[in-house]
Amino acid sequence: MKAQVKPRINLEGRTPLETVIPLATPFVVFVDPASSCNFKCTFCPTGHRDMIAETGRFQGVMKLDVFKKVIDDLGAFESPIKVLRMYKDGEPFLNKRLADMVAYAKRAKYIEYIDTTTNGTFLTPDRLGPVLEAGIDKINISVDGMDAEGYARFTGFKFDFDTFVENVRWLYANKGACEIVIKIPGELITEAQRQQFFDTFGDHCDRIFVENFAPCWPDFDIEKHTGVKISKGIYQQDVGDTDTCPYIFYGYSVNADGLVSSCFLDWGRKLVIGDVRQQSMKDIWTSDLMNALRLQHLEGRRRQNGVCGNCGQLSHCLPDNIDAYRPQLLAKFKTLVPINPAVVAPGGENPKFSIEAAE
C-alpha cells in the first residue's frame, strides 16, 4: 500500500499557541463555497433538513464576488494566511465556481496553502481538472460506506460507488503536487470492510485513515441521531479534557452568505461575529465580539457559553491545549487587546448579525 496510515490533521510542526497569542494574522481561514449538501447524513447537522430550516440558515453557494472580497481583504493582514480551508457546512463542489475561487486565491500571493474536503459525488475528471489546474494543495475525501447500500443507509443518497472509485483513481493519477487524503468513519463499516477500504483506496491516495464519530457540533447529539455510542476520540485516541478553545485564537470562518462565525462548527449561526459584505476581514478578526469570546475562554468561563459550553471538539478531536498557559495569556491579552466591557460574547442569537439581515 502506497498511502501512509495517518490522520488528515497535521500533528507535526505545530506552532505552540502560547508563544504567539494574540495573533495579528490568523493562521487558518475557513471559507464555505456551499452551505448546502446533496447528502442527508445522519451524523451531520447539514443532513437534517428540518434542523437547518429551524435555524433560518442560508442554503446555497457563495457568490464569486463575496469570495473575492474575502480574499482581497486577507491582503490587509501583516503576514500571509497559512491555510485557506475551503469547506465548512456543505459540499464544496456544489459551487460550480470552485476552480475559479481556488485560482483567484492562488493568484493573491498571500495565502500559503489551500485545501478542501468533499463527499466525492462530483469527483469527475471534468470537475476535478480545473480545480487541480487552479493549484489546490490538498483534497480530503470523505468515504461514507463501502457499497451503494451503505451509502443509501447512512447518507440517504443513491451513490454510484464503483464510478466513485474510478474517479478517485483518476484523481490520484492526475493530482500533480496536490495531496490526496481519504478517510472513513469506522462506525459505517464492518470489520471486513475495513480491510476492503484499505485495499480499495490504499494505492490511490497519500494518506488514509479510519476515523471515529465525534460529538463535535454544538447542539447536535450525534449519538442520538446515529445510535452509536462514542467512547474514543476521532483519531482513535483517548478522550481528553481541554477547557480553553484554541481555535478562536488562530482562525475564523466565512459562511456561504458572507456572515462570519468565530467557529468552523457553527452550523446553527449562533457564533456570528460579523459580515464580510459590510466589514473587512481584519476588522472582524479584531472585533469586540471576537475578543469578548476570547476573553470569556481565557477567564475560564467557556462553560458558561450556551454554544461553547459542551463542545465535543475540545474533548474528542485533539485540539491544541493552552489551558496551562491561561493565566499568563489572559494578562498578555488584556495588555495588548482593547476590551469593550459592554460587549457580550456570542453564544446565542445575536441581533446585530441576525439571519434575516443576511438574506
Side-chain angles (χ1 to χ4, degrees), residues 94-317:
L94 282 174
N95 194 319
K96 295 182 180 180
R97 305 301 299 271
L98 182 63
D100 296 327
M101 291 176 165
V102 174
Y104 190 84
K106 275 290 183 180
R107 289 195 297 268
K109 301 298 184 184
Y110 34 77
I111 296 166
E112 295 179 357
Y113 191 89
I114 303 174
D115 65 18
T116 193
T117 295
T118 174
N119 64 28
T121 311
F122 305 101
L123 294 188
T124 58
D126 62 318
R127 296 292 292 276
L128 280 169
V131 175
L132 292 171
E133 186 176 351
I136 197 164
D137 296 289
K138 183 167 85 170
I139 298 176
N140 299 299
I141 303 171
S142 298
V143 179
D144 295 312
M146 287 306 297
D147 52 39
E149 290 73 24
Y151 267 84
R153 186 164 60 252
F154 291 108
T155 73
F157 189 83
K158 187 176 181 181
F159 192 74
D160 189 336
F161 185 77
D162 292 336
T163 299
F164 166 64
V165 172
E166 292 176 8
N167 287 337
V168 170
R169 292 179 177 180
W170 182 93
L171 169 60
Y172 187 68
N174 295 274
K175 71 185 185 71
C178 179
E179 183 182 17
I180 307 302
V181 180
I182 299 180
K183 52 93 172 177
I184 192 170
E187 292 87 351
L188 301 185
I189 52 177
T190 65
E191 194 60 38
Q193 286 178 324
R194 281 182 175 243
Q195 189 57 52
Q196 180 190 354
F197 171 68
F198 288 112
D199 292 343
T200 301
F201 298 107
D203 286 332
H204 307 285
C205 60
D206 299 294
R207 294 192 224 176
I208 191 168
F209 202 75
V210 178
E211 296 184 353
N212 295 325
F213 283 154
C216 53
W217 287 288
D219 301 324
F220 181 80
D221 191 336
I222 192 170
E223 292 186 338
K224 175 184 176 181
H225 288 292
T226 64
V228 173
K229 183 66 178 177
I230 298 172
S231 59
K232 300 287 284 186
I234 190 172
Y235 303 117
Q236 302 176 9
Q237 82 280 11
D238 291 335
V239 175
D241 185 19
T242 304
D243 192 48
T244 314
C245 177
Y247 302 104
I248 57 175
F249 292 94
Y250 70 80
Y252 57 165
S253 306
V254 185
N255 299 301
D257 56 359
L259 290 178
V260 181
S261 293
S262 60
C263 176
F264 61 99
L265 298 167
D266 184 27
W267 66 274
R269 304 300 185 265
K270 293 183 178 180
L271 293 171
V272 171
I273 52 170
D275 187 336
V276 75
R277 296 164 300 181
Q278 302 170 17
Q279 302 163 271
S280 74
M281 290 292 288
K282 188 172 183 179
D283 285 347
I284 297 171
W285 178 247
T286 59
S287 67
D288 289 341
L289 278 169
M290 189 67 167
N291 284 330
L293 185 63
R294 292 167 177 147
L295 181 64
Q296 184 181 58
H297 282 243
L298 288 178
E299 290 182 337
R301 297 183 291 113
R302 190 261 294 183
R303 297 184 190 277
Q304 297 176 16
N305 189 296
V307 179
C308 305
N310 296 306
C311 178
Q313 179 75 15
L314 299 186
S315 55
H316 288 68
C317 298

